Amino acid sequence: MATSASSSSLSPGAISGRAVGAIVARGALAGVAASLAMAIYAMIAAATYQHSGFFTPLYHIATTFIAPDTMMTSMQRAAEGSTFYFSVGPAMLGAVVHMMVGAAYGAIFGVIVQFAKLRGAAVIAAGTVWGAIVFVFSAWIGLPLAAALFDGGDPIRDMASMVGYPTFLVEHLLYGIVLGILVLAMMPAARSGNR
């Protein structure tokens, strides 16, 4: 009995469901935190060089599920010099949607890191590459698909071009770098949990 247990724990790719769940949870948590870093950058960009309003990125994301009225009002107010137009409901909806998407991408990345057995700086480099992959997927597949599924229309389908591809890319690279750093920081806890 002890022989079969030890041979199964030594077999290549053997990992318990509980361990996979922990890996997914850590990746998701790191993804939420990385999505917050990304959102902060997006909001600062919107308030400064884009002149579209500090909270506009949150309203833009919220248009996945609601009419773009709040986003348009925020942009109009910013054009009139009022950068901080705020509406609680749409801002919260946008933040929650953004964090949920960040968590999903983070969970996938956590699993990739675990099964590719990445360590050290390779995790951060992989995070940066993952951010670029998420940028490409979001811009040309994910957002158009979300627009079609949830009737988000042009603001969602064309989000990358509306934000500007350079800014949208930097946002995603920042997401990937922060994600890689956080997943790397959580790895010792993951190893000690898999005895």
Side-chain angles (χ1 to χ4, degrees):
M1 186 74 122
T3 307
S4 70
S6 86
S7 67
S8 69
S9 67
L10 296 175
S11 66
I15 188 167
S16 72
R18 174 183 263 170
V20 171
I23 291 162
V24 167
R26 282 190 294 272
L29 182 61
V32 168
S35 76
L36 293 175
M38 178 183 178
I40 290 167
Y41 176 83
M43 293 166 75
I44 291 170
T48 57
Y49 66 88
Q50 291 182 322
H51 309 290
S52 61
F54 184 75
F55 296 103
T56 300
L58 297 178
Y59 308 143
H60 198 163
I61 295 165
T63 62
T64 306
F65 299 106
I66 62 173
D69 300 349
T70 308
M71 179 187 79
M72 299 305 292
T73 299
S74 182
M75 293 172 75
Q76 179 63 39
R77 296 276 180 91
E80 295 166 357
S82 179
T83 304
F84 296 97
Y85 171 76
F86 185 69
S87 179
V88 176
M92 288 179 62
L93 176 61
V96 168
V97 169
H98 185 65
M99 288 186 289
M100 288 175 59
V101 171
Y105 285 129
I108 294 166
F109 179 73
V111 170
I112 291 169
V113 166
Q114 177 67 32
F115 285 98
K117 299 184 186 321
L118 300 177
R119 298 291 179 259
V123 177
I124 299 170
T128 307
V129 171
W130 183 244
I133 290 168
V134 172
F135 160 77
V136 169
F137 179 81
S138 295
W140 289 286
I141 299 170
L143 289 167
L145 185 59
L149 290 174
F150 303 111
D151 199 26
D154 292 344
I156 297 303
R157 182 178 43 255
D158 302 332
M159 183 183 289
S161 62
M162 289 176 72
V163 169
Y165 288 106
T167 298
F168 203 64
L169 175 60
V170 170
E171 291 171 8
H172 286 82
L173 292 176
L174 179 62
Y175 170 81
I177 291 165
V178 173
L179 178 64
I181 291 168
L182 294 175
V183 166
L184 178 61
M186 294 178 182
M187 288 178 78
R191 280 196 297 271
S192 67
N194 289 335
R195 285 185 258 174

